[in-house]
Amino acid sequence: MGMMHRSVLKRSNDSAQLVITVIIGIAIGFFLGISVPSLYLTKINLPSSITKSFDVDITDIDNSPRGDKLEDQGSGRVPKIYVPTNPRGAESLPPGIVVSESDFYLRRLWGEPSEDLKNKPKYLVTFTVGFDQRYNIDAAVEKFSEDFTILLFHYDGRTSEWDEFEWSKTAIHVSVRKQTKWWYAKRFLHPDIIAAYEYIFIWDEDLGVEHFDGDKFIELVKKHGLEISQPGLEPNNGLTWEMTKRRGGREAHKATDEKPGWCSDPHLPPCAAFVEIMAPVFSWEAWHCVWHMIQNDLVHGWGLDFALRRCVEPAHEKIGVVDSQWIVHQVIPSLGSQGDSEGGKTPWEGVRSRCRSEWAEFQARLRAADKAYLTGIRHK
Protein backbone atom coordinates (compact mmCIF):
# COMPACT_ATOMS: atom_id res chain seq x y z
CA MET A 1 0.00 0.00 0.00
CA GLY A 2 2.88 2.35 0.82
CA MET A 3 4.61 1.55 -2.47
CA MET A 4 1.43 2.33 -4.41
CA HIS A 5 1.17 5.71 -2.67
CA ARG A 6 4.78 6.57 -3.53
CA SER A 7 4.23 5.52 -7.20
CA VAL A 8 1.20 7.81 -7.55
CA LEU A 9 3.09 10.67 -5.90
CA LYS A 10 6.05 10.17 -8.24
CA ARG A 11 3.82 10.30 -11.34
CA SER A 12 2.19 13.51 -10.08
CA ASN A 13 5.60 15.13 -9.60
CA ASP A 14 6.72 14.04 -13.09
CA SER A 15 3.57 15.54 -14.66
CA ALA A 16 4.06 18.79 -12.84
CA GLN A 17 7.66 18.98 -14.01
CA LEU A 18 6.58 18.33 -17.62
CA VAL A 19 3.99 21.11 -17.51
CA ILE A 20 6.50 23.55 -16.05
CA THR A 21 9.08 22.61 -18.71
CA VAL A 22 6.59 23.19 -21.53
CA ILE A 23 5.57 26.59 -20.13
CA ILE A 24 9.19 27.68 -19.82
CA GLY A 25 9.89 26.51 -23.40
CA ILE A 26 6.95 28.51 -24.77
CA ALA A 27 8.07 31.60 -22.90
CA ILE A 28 11.62 31.32 -24.23
CA GLY A 29 10.36 30.79 -27.76
CA PHE A 30 8.09 33.83 -27.57
CA PHE A 31 10.92 35.97 -26.22
CA LEU A 32 13.26 34.92 -29.03
CA GLY A 33 10.54 35.47 -31.63
CA ILE A 34 10.00 39.12 -30.70
CA SER A 35 13.67 39.80 -30.06
CA VAL A 36 15.31 38.51 -33.29
CA PRO A 37 14.77 40.81 -36.35
CA SER A 38 12.79 39.22 -39.11
CA LEU A 39 15.64 40.01 -41.50
CA TYR A 40 17.70 37.24 -39.90
CA LEU A 41 15.13 34.68 -41.06
CA THR A 42 16.00 35.43 -44.65
CA LYS A 43 19.61 34.46 -43.99
CA ILE A 44 18.73 30.89 -43.11
CA ASN A 45 20.19 28.46 -45.64
CA LEU A 46 17.35 26.18 -46.66
CA PRO A 47 17.90 23.06 -48.78
CA SER A 48 17.62 23.81 -52.50
CA SER A 49 14.89 21.19 -52.90
CA ILE A 50 12.71 23.29 -50.60
CA THR A 51 13.52 26.76 -51.91
CA LYS A 52 12.87 25.70 -55.50
CA SER A 53 9.29 24.84 -54.61
CA PHE A 54 8.54 28.45 -53.60
CA ASP A 55 6.65 30.54 -56.19
CA VAL A 56 8.30 33.74 -54.93
CA ASP A 57 11.65 34.08 -53.17
CA ILE A 58 11.11 35.20 -49.57
CA THR A 59 13.92 37.77 -49.80
CA ASP A 60 12.14 39.45 -52.69
CA ILE A 61 9.02 39.88 -50.60
CA ASP A 62 10.65 41.04 -47.38
CA ASN A 63 12.92 43.53 -49.19
CA SER A 64 10.18 44.93 -51.42
CA PRO A 65 9.29 48.57 -50.85
CA ARG A 66 6.06 49.06 -48.95
CA GLY A 67 3.09 50.35 -50.90
CA ASP A 68 3.52 48.22 -54.06
CA LYS A 69 1.30 45.31 -55.10
CA LEU A 70 3.18 42.84 -52.90
CA GLU A 71 1.15 44.08 -49.96
CA ASP A 72 -1.84 42.35 -51.54
CA GLN A 73 -0.17 38.96 -51.52
CA GLY A 74 -2.29 36.00 -50.49
CA SER A 75 -1.71 33.42 -47.79
CA GLY A 76 0.85 31.65 -50.00
CA ARG A 77 2.95 34.83 -50.14
CA VAL A 78 2.52 34.92 -53.93
CA PRO A 79 1.95 38.46 -55.25
CA LYS A 80 -1.37 39.17 -56.91
CA ILE A 81 -0.84 39.76 -60.61
CA TYR A 82 -3.03 41.08 -63.40
CA VAL A 83 -1.48 41.75 -66.80
CA PRO A 84 -4.20 42.63 -69.34
CA THR A 85 -1.73 42.43 -72.25
CA ASN A 86 -1.10 38.74 -71.56
CA PRO A 87 -2.96 36.18 -73.72
CA ARG A 88 -6.55 35.64 -72.69
CA GLY A 89 -6.72 33.43 -69.62
CA ALA A 90 -3.11 34.09 -68.62
CA GLU A 91 -3.62 37.54 -67.10
CA SER A 92 -2.72 36.29 -63.62
CA LEU A 93 0.76 35.15 -64.70
CA PRO A 94 3.94 37.22 -64.79
CA PRO A 95 4.74 37.88 -68.48
CA GLY A 96 8.18 36.29 -68.17
CA ILE A 97 6.67 32.81 -67.66
CA VAL A 98 4.05 33.02 -70.43
CA VAL A 99 4.74 30.86 -73.53
CA SER A 100 1.88 31.61 -75.92
CA GLU A 101 3.22 29.82 -79.01
CA SER A 102 4.36 26.28 -79.75
CA ASP A 103 5.84 24.00 -82.43
CA PHE A 104 6.12 20.35 -83.48
CA TYR A 105 9.77 19.93 -82.52
CA LEU A 106 10.43 16.56 -80.91
CA ARG A 107 12.03 16.61 -77.44
CA ARG A 108 14.08 14.05 -75.53
CA LEU A 109 13.09 12.57 -72.19
CA TRP A 110 16.59 13.14 -70.76
CA GLY A 111 19.47 15.62 -70.76
CA GLU A 112 19.36 19.39 -70.94
CA PRO A 113 16.43 20.95 -72.87
CA SER A 114 18.81 23.41 -74.52
CA GLU A 115 20.63 20.49 -76.11
CA ASP A 116 17.54 18.68 -77.48
CA LEU A 117 17.49 20.08 -81.00
CA LYS A 118 20.32 19.70 -83.46
CA ASN A 119 18.19 21.40 -86.11
CA LYS A 120 15.05 23.55 -85.99
CA PRO A 121 13.03 23.05 -89.19
CA LYS A 122 11.72 26.33 -90.61
CA TYR A 123 8.89 24.93 -92.74
CA LEU A 124 5.96 22.59 -92.10
CA VAL A 125 4.60 20.08 -94.65
CA THR A 126 1.28 18.36 -93.98
CA PHE A 127 -0.31 15.54 -95.97
CA THR A 128 -3.74 14.05 -95.38
CA VAL A 129 -3.21 10.37 -96.08
CA GLY A 130 -4.49 6.85 -96.26
CA PHE A 131 -2.18 3.85 -96.03
CA ASP A 132 -2.83 2.85 -99.66
CA GLN A 133 -0.98 5.99 -100.80
CA ARG A 134 2.10 5.37 -98.64
CA TYR A 135 4.53 4.93 -101.53
CA ASN A 136 3.37 8.12 -103.17
CA ILE A 137 3.84 9.98 -99.88
CA ASP A 138 7.24 8.37 -99.40
CA ALA A 139 8.31 9.75 -102.77
CA ALA A 140 6.95 13.18 -101.83
CA VAL A 141 8.70 13.29 -98.46
CA GLU A 142 12.02 12.61 -100.17
CA LYS A 143 11.63 15.99 -101.91
CA PHE A 144 11.85 17.88 -98.61
CA SER A 145 15.08 18.46 -96.69
CA GLU A 146 15.70 18.52 -92.93
CA ASP A 147 14.45 22.12 -92.93
CA PHE A 148 10.91 20.71 -93.19
CA THR A 149 8.85 19.10 -90.43
CA ILE A 150 6.60 16.33 -91.81
CA LEU A 151 3.08 15.99 -90.37
CA LEU A 152 0.67 13.28 -91.52
CA PHE A 153 -3.07 13.41 -90.90
CA HIS A 154 -4.44 9.84 -91.13
CA TYR A 155 -8.05 9.52 -92.24
CA ASP A 156 -8.02 5.70 -92.17
CA GLY A 157 -6.66 5.21 -88.64
CA ARG A 158 -3.52 3.35 -89.77
CA THR A 159 -0.37 4.90 -88.37
CA SER A 160 2.10 2.36 -86.98
CA GLU A 161 2.43 0.62 -90.37
CA TRP A 162 4.12 3.73 -91.74
CA ASP A 163 7.23 2.92 -89.71
CA GLU A 164 8.46 0.86 -92.64
CA PHE A 165 9.80 4.26 -93.74
CA GLU A 166 12.65 5.57 -91.61
CA TRP A 167 11.46 9.20 -91.89
CA SER A 168 8.08 8.21 -90.42
CA LYS A 169 9.69 7.53 -87.04
CA THR A 170 10.41 11.23 -86.59
CA ALA A 171 7.32 12.56 -88.37
CA ILE A 172 4.24 13.81 -86.49
CA HIS A 173 1.20 11.55 -86.86
CA VAL A 174 -2.38 12.62 -86.12
CA SER A 175 -5.06 9.97 -86.56
CA VAL A 176 -8.78 10.74 -86.74
CA ARG A 177 -10.90 8.58 -89.03
CA LYS A 178 -12.81 9.85 -92.07
CA GLN A 179 -11.98 13.55 -91.94
CA THR A 180 -10.68 16.00 -94.54
CA LYS A 181 -7.49 18.02 -94.52
CA TRP A 182 -9.33 21.27 -93.72
CA TRP A 183 -10.96 19.60 -90.71
CA TYR A 184 -7.49 18.64 -89.47
CA ALA A 185 -6.03 22.04 -90.34
CA LYS A 186 -8.66 23.90 -88.33
CA ARG A 187 -8.11 21.74 -85.27
CA PHE A 188 -4.37 21.06 -85.27
CA LEU A 189 -2.76 23.96 -87.17
CA HIS A 190 -3.72 26.95 -85.07
CA PRO A 191 -1.27 29.78 -85.90
CA ASP A 192 0.05 29.82 -82.33
CA ILE A 193 0.77 26.08 -82.52
CA ILE A 194 2.82 26.37 -85.70
CA ALA A 195 4.38 29.76 -85.01
CA ALA A 196 7.90 28.38 -85.44
CA TYR A 197 7.39 27.77 -89.17
CA GLU A 198 7.80 30.40 -91.88
CA TYR A 199 5.75 28.49 -94.48
CA ILE A 200 3.06 25.82 -94.19
CA PHE A 201 2.26 23.29 -96.94
CA ILE A 202 -1.27 21.82 -96.77
CA TRP A 203 -1.23 19.15 -99.46
CA ASP A 204 -3.30 16.28 -100.79
CA GLU A 205 -1.89 12.76 -101.01
CA ASP A 206 -2.25 12.23 -104.77
CA LEU A 207 0.45 14.57 -106.09
CA GLY A 208 3.31 13.54 -108.35
CA VAL A 209 6.51 15.34 -107.34
CA GLU A 210 9.13 14.11 -109.81
CA HIS A 211 9.84 17.69 -110.94
CA PHE A 212 9.65 19.32 -107.52
CA ASP A 213 12.22 20.29 -104.89
CA GLY A 214 11.11 21.79 -101.57
CA ASP A 215 14.14 24.00 -100.97
CA LYS A 216 14.13 25.42 -104.50
CA PHE A 217 10.40 26.07 -104.26
CA ILE A 218 10.84 28.08 -101.04
CA GLU A 219 13.70 30.02 -102.63
CA LEU A 220 11.44 31.10 -105.52
CA VAL A 221 8.51 31.89 -103.23
CA LYS A 222 10.72 34.32 -101.33
CA LYS A 223 12.25 35.75 -104.49
CA HIS A 224 8.83 36.60 -105.98
CA GLY A 225 7.30 37.79 -102.70
CA LEU A 226 4.53 35.18 -102.58
CA GLU A 227 2.57 34.89 -99.34
CA ILE A 228 0.16 32.30 -100.78
CA SER A 229 1.38 30.00 -103.55
CA GLN A 230 1.43 26.55 -105.11
CA PRO A 231 3.60 24.64 -107.57
CA GLY A 232 2.51 24.75 -111.20
CA LEU A 233 0.27 21.87 -112.31
CA GLU A 234 1.17 19.84 -115.36
CA PRO A 235 -1.80 20.25 -117.73
CA ASN A 236 -3.99 17.16 -117.90
CA ASN A 237 -7.63 16.19 -118.20
CA GLY A 238 -8.28 16.81 -114.52
CA LEU A 239 -7.22 20.47 -114.65
CA THR A 240 -9.87 23.16 -114.26
CA TRP A 241 -8.23 26.56 -113.96
CA GLU A 242 -5.86 28.31 -116.37
CA MET A 243 -4.20 30.13 -113.49
CA THR A 244 -2.67 27.03 -111.98
CA LYS A 245 -1.31 25.50 -115.20
CA ARG A 246 2.46 25.27 -115.38
CA ARG A 247 4.09 27.67 -117.84
CA GLY A 248 7.30 26.45 -119.42
CA GLY A 249 10.36 28.67 -119.40
CA ARG A 250 9.22 30.77 -116.43
CA GLU A 251 9.95 30.79 -112.72
CA ALA A 252 6.53 31.97 -111.58
CA HIS A 253 3.40 33.81 -112.66
CA LYS A 254 0.68 35.79 -110.87
CA ALA A 255 -2.03 36.30 -113.53
CA THR A 256 -3.60 34.61 -116.52
CA ASP A 257 -6.33 34.88 -119.16
CA GLU A 258 -9.41 32.79 -118.52
CA LYS A 259 -12.48 31.92 -120.53
CA PRO A 260 -14.53 34.95 -121.66
CA GLY A 261 -16.72 36.31 -118.90
CA TRP A 262 -15.02 34.39 -116.11
CA CYS A 263 -13.09 37.34 -114.67
CA SER A 264 -14.84 40.60 -113.85
CA ASP A 265 -11.45 42.12 -112.98
CA PRO A 266 -7.98 41.01 -114.17
CA HIS A 267 -6.76 41.32 -110.57
CA LEU A 268 -9.46 39.00 -109.17
CA PRO A 269 -9.90 35.20 -109.15
CA PRO A 270 -9.68 33.09 -111.16
CA CYS A 271 -7.47 35.35 -113.34
CA ALA A 272 -5.24 36.49 -110.46
CA ALA A 273 -4.95 36.29 -106.66
CA PHE A 274 -5.83 32.61 -106.94
CA VAL A 275 -4.43 29.15 -106.19
CA GLU A 276 -6.28 25.86 -105.77
CA ILE A 277 -6.84 24.02 -102.51
CA MET A 278 -5.10 20.77 -103.49
CA ALA A 279 -1.52 21.98 -102.84
CA PRO A 280 -1.47 25.46 -101.29
CA VAL A 281 1.51 26.92 -99.43
CA PHE A 282 1.04 29.75 -96.93
CA SER A 283 3.40 32.08 -95.16
CA TRP A 284 2.74 32.05 -91.43
CA GLU A 285 1.34 35.59 -91.64
CA ALA A 286 -1.12 34.63 -94.38
CA TRP A 287 -2.10 31.41 -92.59
CA HIS A 288 -2.85 33.41 -89.45
CA CYS A 289 -5.68 35.01 -91.41
CA VAL A 290 -6.76 31.97 -93.45
CA TRP A 291 -7.11 29.79 -90.35
CA HIS A 292 -9.68 32.19 -88.94
CA MET A 293 -11.66 32.04 -92.18
CA ILE A 294 -11.97 28.23 -92.21
CA GLN A 295 -15.40 27.19 -90.98
CA ASN A 296 -15.66 24.39 -88.42
CA ASP A 297 -18.49 22.57 -90.20
CA LEU A 298 -17.48 23.14 -93.84
CA VAL A 299 -14.80 20.47 -94.05
CA HIS A 300 -14.05 20.18 -97.77
CA GLY A 301 -12.76 23.72 -98.24
CA TRP A 302 -14.56 24.32 -101.54
CA GLY A 303 -14.82 28.04 -102.23
CA LEU A 304 -11.99 28.87 -99.84
CA ASP A 305 -9.55 29.35 -102.75
CA PHE A 306 -11.62 32.24 -104.12
CA ALA A 307 -11.51 33.98 -100.73
CA LEU A 308 -7.79 33.60 -99.96
CA ARG A 309 -7.15 37.02 -101.50
CA ARG A 310 -8.72 38.62 -98.43
CA CYS A 311 -5.71 37.59 -96.36
CA VAL A 312 -2.92 39.39 -98.27
CA GLU A 313 -2.58 42.85 -99.79
CA PRO A 314 -2.20 43.44 -102.68
CA ALA A 315 -3.43 39.95 -103.43
CA HIS A 316 -2.61 39.98 -107.15
CA GLU A 317 1.04 40.58 -106.25
CA LYS A 318 1.36 38.21 -103.28
CA ILE A 319 -0.52 35.17 -104.58
CA GLY A 320 1.03 33.19 -107.40
CA VAL A 321 2.14 29.93 -109.01
CA VAL A 322 5.73 28.67 -109.13
CA ASP A 323 6.18 27.24 -112.63
CA SER A 324 9.72 25.85 -112.50
CA GLN A 325 8.85 23.62 -109.52
CA TRP A 326 5.81 21.72 -110.69
CA ILE A 327 3.65 18.76 -109.72
CA VAL A 328 1.13 16.38 -111.29
CA HIS A 329 -2.36 15.93 -109.87
CA GLN A 330 -3.00 12.19 -110.07
CA VAL A 331 -6.74 12.60 -109.39
CA ILE A 332 -7.14 9.62 -107.04
CA PRO A 333 -10.62 9.90 -105.42
CA SER A 334 -9.53 8.33 -102.14
CA LEU A 335 -11.77 10.39 -99.84
CA GLY A 336 -14.84 9.32 -101.77
CA SER A 337 -14.44 5.79 -100.47
CA GLN A 338 -14.62 7.13 -96.90
CA GLY A 339 -18.24 8.20 -97.30
CA ASP A 340 -21.43 6.22 -96.71
CA SER A 341 -24.22 5.37 -99.12
CA GLU A 342 -27.28 7.51 -98.39
CA GLY A 343 -30.37 8.37 -100.39
CA GLY A 344 -29.49 5.96 -103.18
CA LYS A 345 -26.13 7.68 -103.82
CA THR A 346 -22.80 5.92 -103.87
CA PRO A 347 -20.25 7.03 -101.23
CA TRP A 348 -18.36 9.07 -103.83
CA GLU A 349 -21.53 10.77 -105.11
CA GLY A 350 -22.48 11.72 -101.57
CA VAL A 351 -19.07 13.25 -100.90
CA ARG A 352 -19.10 15.24 -104.15
CA SER A 353 -22.62 16.49 -103.48
CA ARG A 354 -21.54 17.83 -100.09
CA CYS A 355 -18.50 19.51 -101.68
CA ARG A 356 -20.78 21.49 -103.97
CA SER A 357 -23.25 22.40 -101.23
CA GLU A 358 -20.40 23.58 -98.98
CA TRP A 359 -19.12 25.88 -101.74
CA ALA A 360 -22.54 27.54 -101.98
CA GLU A 361 -22.85 27.74 -98.18
CA PHE A 362 -19.42 29.32 -97.75
CA GLN A 363 -20.22 31.96 -100.38
CA ALA A 364 -23.51 32.72 -98.66
CA ARG A 365 -21.82 33.12 -95.27
CA LEU A 366 -19.15 35.39 -96.69
CA ARG A 367 -21.74 37.61 -98.38
CA ALA A 368 -23.76 37.78 -95.16
CA ALA A 369 -20.65 38.68 -93.14
CA ASP A 370 -19.71 41.41 -95.63
CA LYS A 371 -23.21 42.83 -95.55
CA ALA A 372 -23.38 42.83 -91.74
CA TYR A 373 -20.01 44.56 -91.51
CA LEU A 374 -20.84 47.24 -94.09
CA THR A 375 -24.23 47.87 -92.48
CA GLY A 376 -22.57 48.32 -89.11
CA ILE A 377 -20.04 50.77 -90.56
CA ARG A 378 -22.78 52.91 -92.12
CA HIS A 379 -24.66 53.18 -88.84
CA LYS A 380 -21.69 54.34 -86.80
PDB file of all heavy atoms in Angstrom, residues 339-357:
ATOM      1  N   GLY A 339     -16.861   7.827 -97.568  1.00  0.00           N
ATOM      2  CA  GLY A 339     -18.240   8.203 -97.304  1.00  0.00           C
ATOM      3  C   GLY A 339     -19.141   6.999 -97.109  1.00  0.00           C
ATOM      4  O   GLY A 339     -18.711   5.847 -97.169  1.00  0.00           O
ATOM      5  N   ASP A 340     -20.418   7.262 -96.855  1.00  0.00           N
ATOM      6  CA  ASP A 340     -21.434   6.215 -96.711  1.00  0.00           C
ATOM      7  C   ASP A 340     -22.503   6.397 -97.777  1.00  0.00           C
ATOM      8  O   ASP A 340     -22.765   7.513 -98.234  1.00  0.00           O
ATOM      9  CB  ASP A 340     -22.089   6.272 -95.327  1.00  0.00           C
ATOM     10  CG  ASP A 340     -21.137   5.851 -94.224  1.00  0.00           C
ATOM     11  OD1 ASP A 340     -20.249   5.013 -94.505  1.00  0.00           O
ATOM     12  OD2 ASP A 340     -21.269   6.353 -93.091  1.00  0.00           O
ATOM     13  N   SER A 341     -23.133   5.310 -98.143  1.00  0.00           N
ATOM     14  CA  SER A 341     -24.219   5.369 -99.125  1.00  0.00           C
ATOM     15  C   SER A 341     -25.497   5.852 -98.445  1.00  0.00           C
ATOM     16  O   SER A 341     -25.970   5.244 -97.485  1.00  0.00           O
ATOM     17  CB  SER A 341     -24.443   3.986 -99.739  1.00  0.00           C
ATOM     18  OG  SER A 341     -23.289   3.542-100.408  1.00  0.00           O
ATOM     19  N   GLU A 342     -26.037   6.957 -98.931  1.00  0.00           N
ATOM     20  CA  GLU A 342     -27.279   7.506 -98.393  1.00  0.00           C
ATOM     21  C   GLU A 342     -28.139   8.018 -99.529  1.00  0.00           C
ATOM     22  O   GLU A 342     -27.632   8.568-100.503  1.00  0.00           O
ATOM     23  CB  GLU A 342     -26.993   8.651 -97.414  1.00  0.00           C
ATOM     24  CG  GLU A 342     -26.342   8.223 -96.109  1.00  0.00           C
ATOM     25  CD  GLU A 342     -26.158   9.380 -95.144  1.00  0.00           C
ATOM     26  OE1 GLU A 342     -26.433  10.531 -95.546  1.00  0.00           O
ATOM     27  OE2 GLU A 342     -25.745   9.135 -93.997  1.00  0.00           O
ATOM     28  N   GLY A 343     -29.444   7.842 -99.399  1.00  0.00           N
ATOM     29  CA  GLY A 343     -30.373   8.366-100.386  1.00  0.00           C
ATOM     30  C   GLY A 343     -30.161   7.809-101.778  1.00  0.00           C
ATOM     31  O   GLY A 343     -30.399   8.508-102.766  1.00  0.00           O
ATOM     32  N   GLY A 344     -29.699   6.575-101.867  1.00  0.00           N
ATOM     33  CA  GLY A 344     -29.491   5.960-103.177  1.00  0.00           C
ATOM     34  C   GLY A 344     -28.209   6.383-103.866  1.00  0.00           C
ATOM     35  O   GLY A 344     -27.934   5.958-104.993  1.00  0.00           O
ATOM     36  N   LYS A 345     -27.389   7.224-103.230  1.00  0.00           N
ATOM     37  CA  LYS A 345     -26.135   7.681-103.822  1.00  0.00           C
ATOM     38  C   LYS A 345     -24.983   6.780-103.380  1.00  0.00           C
ATOM     39  O   LYS A 345     -24.989   6.241-102.266  1.00  0.00           O
ATOM     40  CB  LYS A 345     -25.837   9.122-103.392  1.00  0.00           C
ATOM     41  CG  LYS A 345     -26.829  10.154-103.898  1.00  0.00           C
ATOM     42  CD  LYS A 345     -26.436  11.545-103.419  1.00  0.00           C
ATOM     43  CE  LYS A 345     -27.415  12.600-103.929  1.00  0.00           C
ATOM     44  NZ  LYS A 345     -27.036  13.968-103.457  1.00  0.00           N
ATOM     45  N   THR A 346     -24.012   6.623-104.250  1.00  0.00           N
ATOM     46  CA  THR A 346     -22.796   5.918-103.868  1.00  0.00           C
ATOM     47  C   THR A 346     -22.002   6.786-102.894  1.00  0.00           C
ATOM     48  O   THR A 346     -22.240   8.006-102.807  1.00  0.00           O
ATOM     49  CB  THR A 346     -21.928   5.621-105.099  1.00  0.00           C
ATOM     50  OG1 THR A 346     -21.480   6.870-105.661  1.00  0.00           O
ATOM     51  CG2 THR A 346     -22.708   4.845-106.149  1.00  0.00           C
ATOM     52  N   PRO A 347     -21.052   6.204-102.145  1.00  0.00           N
ATOM     53  CA  PRO A 347     -20.246   7.025-101.232  1.00  0.00           C
ATOM     54  C   PRO A 347     -19.585   8.204-101.938  1.00  0.00           C
ATOM     55  O   PRO A 347     -19.573   9.325-101.400  1.00  0.00           O
ATOM     56  CB  PRO A 347     -19.210   6.030-100.703  1.00  0.00           C
ATOM     57  CG  PRO A 347     -19.905   4.715-100.753  1.00  0.00           C
ATOM     58  CD  PRO A 347     -20.750   4.761-101.996  1.00  0.00           C
ATOM     59  N   TRP A 348     -19.029   7.981-103.123  1.00  0.00           N
ATOM     60  CA  TRP A 348     -18.356   9.066-103.828  1.00  0.00           C
ATOM     61  C   TRP A 348     -19.340  10.162-104.246  1.00  0.00           C
ATOM     62  O   TRP A 348     -19.037  11.351-104.140  1.00  0.00           O
ATOM     63  CB  TRP A 348     -17.621   8.533-105.048  1.00  0.00           C
ATOM     64  CG  TRP A 348     -17.050   9.627-105.903  1.00  0.00           C
ATOM     65  CD1 TRP A 348     -17.399   9.942-107.176  1.00  0.00           C
ATOM     66  CD2 TRP A 348     -16.055  10.585-105.527  1.00  0.00           C
ATOM     67  NE1 TRP A 348     -16.680  11.019-107.621  1.00  0.00           N
ATOM     68  CE2 TRP A 348     -15.849  11.439-106.631  1.00  0.00           C
ATOM     69  CE3 TRP A 348     -15.320  10.805-104.360  1.00  0.00           C
ATOM     70  CZ2 TRP A 348     -14.931  12.493-106.591  1.00  0.00           C
ATOM     71  CZ3 TRP A 348     -14.413  11.849-104.330  1.00  0.00           C
ATOM     72  CH2 TRP A 348     -14.228  12.678-105.448  1.00  0.00           C
ATOM     73  N   GLU A 349     -20.528   9.772-104.710  1.00  0.00           N
ATOM     74  CA  GLU A 349     -21.527  10.765-105.108  1.00  0.00           C
ATOM     75  C   GLU A 349     -21.971  11.613-103.919  1.00  0.00           C
ATOM     76  O   GLU A 349     -22.178  12.822-104.049  1.00  0.00           O
ATOM     77  CB  GLU A 349     -22.738  10.068-105.729  1.00  0.00           C
ATOM     78  CG  GLU A 349     -22.477   9.476-107.105  1.00  0.00           C
ATOM     79  CD  GLU A 349     -23.658   8.679-107.621  1.00  0.00           C
ATOM     80  OE1 GLU A 349     -24.364   8.065-106.782  1.00  0.00           O
ATOM     81  OE2 GLU A 349     -23.867   8.662-108.849  1.00  0.00           O
ATOM     82  N   GLY A 350     -22.097  10.970-102.762  1.00  0.00           N
ATOM     83  CA  GLY A 350     -22.485  11.719-101.573  1.00  0.00           C
ATOM     84  C   GLY A 350     -21.424  12.728-101.157  1.00  0.00           C
ATOM     85  O   GLY A 350     -21.743  13.855-100.774  1.00  0.00           O
ATOM     86  N   VAL A 351     -20.155  12.341-101.249  1.00  0.00           N
ATOM     87  CA  VAL A 351     -19.070  13.255-100.905  1.00  0.00           C
ATOM     88  C   VAL A 351     -19.043  14.436-101.864  1.00  0.00           C
ATOM     89  O   VAL A 351     -18.922  15.600-101.453  1.00  0.00           O
ATOM     90  CB  VAL A 351     -17.722  12.511-100.913  1.00  0.00           C
ATOM     91  CG1 VAL A 351     -16.561  13.494-100.802  1.00  0.00           C
ATOM     92  CG2 VAL A 351     -17.665  11.509 -99.763  1.00  0.00           C
ATOM     93  N   ARG A 352     -19.137  14.157-103.165  1.00  0.00           N
ATOM     94  CA  ARG A 352     -19.095  15.237-104.152  1.00  0.00           C
ATOM     95  C   ARG A 352     -20.288  16.184-104.001  1.00  0.00           C
ATOM     96  O   ARG A 352     -20.142  17.410-104.150  1.00  0.00           O
ATOM     97  CB  ARG A 352     -19.055  14.650-105.566  1.00  0.00           C
ATOM     98  CG  ARG A 352     -18.997  15.687-106.687  1.00  0.00           C
ATOM     99  CD  ARG A 352     -17.897  16.710-106.461  1.00  0.00           C
ATOM    100  NE  ARG A 352     -16.578  16.123-106.464  1.00  0.00           N
ATOM    101  CZ  ARG A 352     -15.764  16.105-107.516  1.00  0.00           C
ATOM    102  NH1 ARG A 352     -16.143  16.650-108.641  1.00  0.00           N
ATOM    103  NH2 ARG A 352     -14.566  15.566-107.414  1.00  0.00           N
ATOM    104  N   SER A 353     -21.443  15.650-103.676  1.00  0.00           N
ATOM    105  CA  SER A 353     -22.619  16.493-103.476  1.00  0.00           C
ATOM    106  C   SER A 353     -22.411  17.442-102.302  1.00  0.00           C
ATOM    107  O   SER A 353     -22.771  18.623-102.373  1.00  0.00           O
ATOM    108  CB  SER A 353     -23.848  15.618-103.225  1.00  0.00           C
ATOM    109  OG  SER A 353     -24.988  16.406-102.941  1.00  0.00           O
ATOM    110  N   ARG A 354     -21.789  16.950-101.229  1.00  0.00           N
ATOM    111  CA  ARG A 354     -21.544  17.828-100.089  1.00  0.00           C
ATOM    112  C   ARG A 354     -20.496  18.883-100.439  1.00  0.00           C
ATOM    113  O   ARG A 354     -20.586  20.024 -99.980  1.00  0.00           O
ATOM    114  CB  ARG A 354     -21.086  17.024 -98.869  1.00  0.00           C
ATOM    115  CG  ARG A 354     -20.662  17.929 -97.734  1.00  0.00           C
ATOM    116  CD  ARG A 354     -20.780  17.318 -96.394  1.00  0.00           C
ATOM    117  NE  ARG A 354     -20.297  18.237 -95.359  1.00  0.00           N
ATOM    118  CZ  ARG A 354     -20.493  18.089 -94.072  1.00  0.00           C
ATOM    119  NH1 ARG A 354     -21.182  17.061 -93.624  1.00  0.00           N
ATOM    120  NH2 ARG A 354     -20.010  18.956 -93.206  1.00  0.00           N
ATOM    121  N   CYS A 355     -19.496  18.518-101.245  1.00  0.00           N
ATOM    122  CA  CYS A 355     -18.504  19.508-101.676  1.00  0.00           C
ATOM    123  C   CYS A 355     -19.196  20.697-102.339  1.00  0.00           C
ATOM    124  O   CYS A 355     -18.898  21.858-102.022  1.00  0.00           O
ATOM    125  CB  CYS A 355     -17.523  18.872-102.655  1.00  0.00           C
ATOM    126  SG  CYS A 355     -16.335  17.732-101.905  1.00  0.00           S
ATOM    127  N   ARG A 356     -20.091  20.417-103.250  1.00  0.00           N
ATOM    128  CA  ARG A 356     -20.778  21.494-103.974  1.00  0.00           C
ATOM    129  C   ARG A 356     -21.656  22.327-103.033  1.00  0.00           C
ATOM    130  O   ARG A 356     -21.701  23.558-103.134  1.00  0.00           O
ATOM    131  CB  ARG A 356     -21.610  20.902-105.103  1.00  0.00           C
ATOM    132  CG  ARG A 356     -20.783  20.237-106.209  1.00  0.00           C
ATOM    133  CD  ARG A 356     -21.639  19.961-107.433  1.00  0.00           C
ATOM    134  NE  ARG A 356     -20.871  19.363-108.507  1.00  0.00           N
ATOM    135  CZ  ARG A 356     -20.832  18.063-108.787  1.00  0.00           C
ATOM    136  NH1 ARG A 356     -21.542  17.218-108.043  1.00  0.00           N
ATOM    137  NH2 ARG A 356     -20.108  17.587-109.778  1.00  0.00           N
ATOM    138  N   SER A 357     -22.360  21.657-102.141  1.00  0.00           N
ATOM    139  CA  SER A 357     -23.246  22.402-101.232  1.00  0.00           C
ATOM    140  C   SER A 357     -22.431  23.257-100.267  1.00  0.00           C
ATOM    141  O   SER A 357     -22.849  24.363 -99.901  1.00  0.00           O
ATOM    142  CB  SER A 357     -24.150  21.434-100.457  1.00  0.00           C
ATOM    143  OG  SER A 357     -23.398  20.610 -99.583  1.00  0.00           O
TER     144      SER A 357
END
